[in-house]
Amino acid sequence: MDAKRKDFIATVVIDLIVAAVVGILVFLLAYILISGLPHVSWSFLTGTTDAFSGAGGIGVQLFNSFYLLVLTMLISIPISLGAGIYLAEYAKDNWRTSLIRSAIEVLSSLPSVVVGLFGFLLFVVKFKIGFSVISGAIALTFFNLPLLTRNIEESLSAVPRNQREAGLSLGLSKWKTEIGIILPVALPGIVTGIVLSAGRVFGEAAALIYTAGQSAPVTNFSDWNPMDPASPLNPFRPAETLAVHIWKVNTEGLASNAAQLSAAASAVLIIAVLLFNLGARVLGNFLYRRVTASK
């Protein structure tokens, strides 16, 4: 068999594998959206859920998902940014740095249910915070830190070395060069990673079952005092998210239309995650064009 025929066969096999993967993905997305979108309505998106049967809307669960996402990112982004800058710019190539990177890899490979059980034992039981938004946010921070740290480190490491040399040659300190030159150049990749990790956090369920809880208490959306138990901004209240709600409806839902409710909530969740991914690509390309002044 000559080289051209081998190359043709290899190309066909690769194309078939790619087509199979894409076909499975399209089938799953189409099945979820076709099954769920007919049951999605404005009242479903803004209504409240019956605590006993699980019937009703997902308004509170949607708010809880976004609120928990915001808290998680507020905690994890500064820590990840500091860790990524340290590993990319300041860490020496020795056993300590290798140990840190190995710890990050191990943490990133932990199942989310293990992270949830750790959060349950530490924050819910030991610290007596209870099932709450803040317990879920801290647990998801452990879940999110490895991905964000590696993304920021790789984005900074991808910046050409001559950018650093140019800043230092102008008399800037290493920190000034990092903040004023390197970080803006790496910003598109960093923002893309942040948005993608946000989509991952938004769809997480296993870790939140044991930390944020499986209930959505009645909240007063006219009360924005974070210290009020009925306020939606209270970080110490239980908060069932959309992903946890889907799991709960499928396993414990007593409503006669539980299958339709689950399908509709799943379609909303899929659309939200797709928007996060598309937003990451659009925002990353926009920032890249702004930073590089390219069209």
Side-chain angles (χ1 to χ4, degrees):
M1 185 180 297
D2 58 9
K4 288 185 177 181
R5 185 175 294 275
K6 290 180 180 179
D7 179 72
F8 174 77
I9 294 174
T11 302
V12 171
V13 171
I14 292 173
D15 289 342
L16 290 175
I17 293 174
V18 172
V21 172
V22 174
I24 293 172
L25 177 61
V26 171
F27 170 77
L28 290 175
L29 291 177
Y31 178 79
I32 294 172
L33 294 177
I34 292 172
S35 301
L37 283 180
H39 307 290
V40 176
S41 63
W42 180 250
S43 61
F44 177 76
L45 294 175
T46 58
T48 57
T49 304
D50 181 75
F52 178 71
S53 66
I58 57 171
V60 177
Q61 286 79 6
L62 266 179
F63 177 84
N64 289 340
S65 297
F66 282 106
Y67 184 41
L68 198 143
L69 172 62
V70 170
L71 286 183
T72 302
M73 302 311 287
L74 286 176
I75 298 172
S76 59
I77 288 176
I79 299 174
S80 301
L81 187 61
I85 291 175
Y86 171 77
L87 290 173
E89 303 295 333
Y90 293 95
K92 297 180 180 180
D93 189 11
N94 53 31
W95 67 271
R96 292 186 184 88
T97 305
S98 298
L99 181 63
I100 293 173
R101 289 198 171 97
S102 298
I104 291 173
E105 293 294 338
V106 170
L107 189 58
S108 66
S109 64
L110 287 177
S112 57
V113 67
V114 174
V115 177
L117 287 172
F118 169 78
F120 171 75
L121 293 174
L122 185 61
F123 305 118
V124 177
V125 178
K126 183 67 175 178
F127 292 163
K128 301 185 185 305
I129 300 176
F131 293 107
S132 60
V133 177
I134 193 66
S135 296
I138 298 174
L140 286 182
T141 296
F142 286 103
F143 181 72
N144 202 31
L145 277 176
L147 176 65
L148 274 180
T149 300
R150 290 305 301 269
N151 167 257
I152 292 172
E153 180 189 359
E154 291 173 0
S155 298
L156 293 172
S157 299
V159 177
R161 184 173 179 81
N162 57 14
Q163 298 272 14
R164 297 170 174 81
E165 295 172 350
L168 296 174
S169 67
L170 293 173
L172 299 177
S173 65
K174 189 172 183 178
W175 177 248
K176 288 281 189 180
T177 302
E178 184 67 31
I179 298 300
I181 298 177
I182 307 303
L183 201 57
V185 174
L187 189 61
I190 293 174
V191 171
T192 299
I194 289 174
V195 178
L196 290 175
S197 68
R200 184 186 183 197
V201 168
F202 189 85
E204 179 56 38
L208 297 177
I209 292 173
Y210 300 102
T211 52
Q214 305 175 42
S215 61
V218 177
T219 52
N220 181 10
F221 283 93
S222 62
D223 181 7
W224 298 102
N225 180 9
M227 297 296 103
D228 194 323
S231 171
L233 296 182
N234 185 352
F236 298 103
R237 64 177 177 85
E240 180 187 60
T241 62
L242 184 59
V244 174
H245 177 69
I246 295 171
W247 172 83
K248 188 176 179 181
V249 169
N250 276 301
T251 56
E252 303 175 8
L254 300 177
S256 58
N257 60 339
Q260 289 81 4
L261 293 173
S262 175
S266 299
V268 174
L269 181 61
I270 285 292
I271 291 173
V273 174
L274 286 175
L275 288 177
F276 276 116
N277 284 269
L278 293 175
R281 182 176 294 274
V282 173
L283 187 58
N285 291 336
F286 172 76
L287 290 175
Y288 177 79
R289 289 195 299 268
R290 290 294 299 270
V291 170
T292 60
S294 61
K295 296 182 180 181

